[in-house]
Amino acid sequence: AKVASVDTGVDADHEDISGNYDESGGEGDYDLHSHGTHCAGLAGATTNNGKGVGSLNWNGEYISISGYPALDDQGRGTDQRVAKAIIDAAEGGADVISMSLGGPALFGPPKAQADAIKYARKLGAIVVVAAGNSNDDARRYSPANIKGVITVSAVDENLDKASFSNTNTKLRMPIAAPGVNILSSVPGSEYMSYNGTSMATPIVSGLVGMMCAYNPDITTEEVYKILNETGTSVKDSDKVGRVINPTEALQKASR
């Protein structure tokens, strides 16, 4: 399955990503910021290769990673640039679009992003997005509040809501994953630990990519139903949803 990182790009030459990287061409195949490469490693770094970190992508056999530039080298982007990256990823054949980005949307979702996500879903992509890091209600942030996306909040090492994480349970498809002290790849074949719903999101995207590899015809609604039904209920699930349980989710997706 192809997982597209709509972000700052991906270091295509990173030692733990290059073996299963699918070039998108242009700015998406390098990363002068680090955020996109960190997220890409969490979604699909090659596992069991004796290097760096591991993802659910065992031996790199199930997921390919591609980068699509939605943010610049300072991590900033416009609605139009984000929308274009979504469209490019969808037309590039992405099965999963992972978006660790967002911002306040006081007057509702930006039309450009909402239309791009609607188009991507029409082409068959499952869109997974970050809830945001403002300790606020994700309904006030986009793309977290756009119809049809799976919105990911973050938990810490104790499975409590991460202090920074937005809540997401007033949205249609909330789920949670680890997002505190998360080690992953950064440019130059290096590794660093970051915090954020940005980290929780590609962990979920990688799992969804594996589910798509097992079951290519699976839909967004079917994926979310499995994630939710197999997820672990924790103390703060009323704020962030259930925490993903990859083993059970993959078993159920492959039946």
Side-chain angles (χ1 to χ4, degrees), residues 92-108:
D95 297 290
V96 183
I97 296 176
S98 186
M99 298 177 63
S100 291
L101 53 81
L106 301 180
F107 303 102

Side-chain angles (χ1 to χ4, degrees), residues 50-182:
K51 298 178 181 179
V53 295
S55 69
L56 295 172
N57 190 21
W58 187 252
N59 293 341
E61 296 176 356
Y62 296 91
I63 297 172
S64 67
I65 298 292
S66 295
Y68 291 86
L71 307 176
D72 63 21
D73 298 342
Q74 287 74 47
R76 299 172 302 198
T78 64
D79 290 335
Q80 289 76 16
R81 184 170 182 177
V82 171
K84 184 179 186 304
I86 295 167
I87 291 167
D88 288 346
E91 292 183 343
D95 297 290
V96 183
I97 296 176
S98 186
M99 298 177 63
S100 291
L101 53 81
L106 301 180
F107 303 102
K111 188 176 187 302
Q113 290 187 41
D115 286 350
I117 286 173
K118 182 178 180 180
Y119 175 67
R121 295 190 67 228
K122 184 178 180 180
L123 293 187
I126 297 170
V127 184
V128 183
V129 306
N133 302 329
S134 300
N135 190 28
D136 196 0
D137 188 336
R139 289 184 301 172
R140 303 187 182 100
Y141 295 79
S142 284
N145 62 359
I146 291 176
K147 182 179 179 180
V149 304
I150 297 172
T151 305
V152 186
S153 288
V155 295
D156 63 17
E157 297 95 328
N158 299 314
L159 299 183
D160 295 330
K161 183 183 91 71
S163 60
F164 52 78
S165 179
N166 284 351
T167 59
N168 62 357
T169 47
K170 293 180 181 178
L171 297 171
R172 184 168 172 236
M173 291 188 279
I175 203 73
V180 177
N181 295 326
I182 306 297

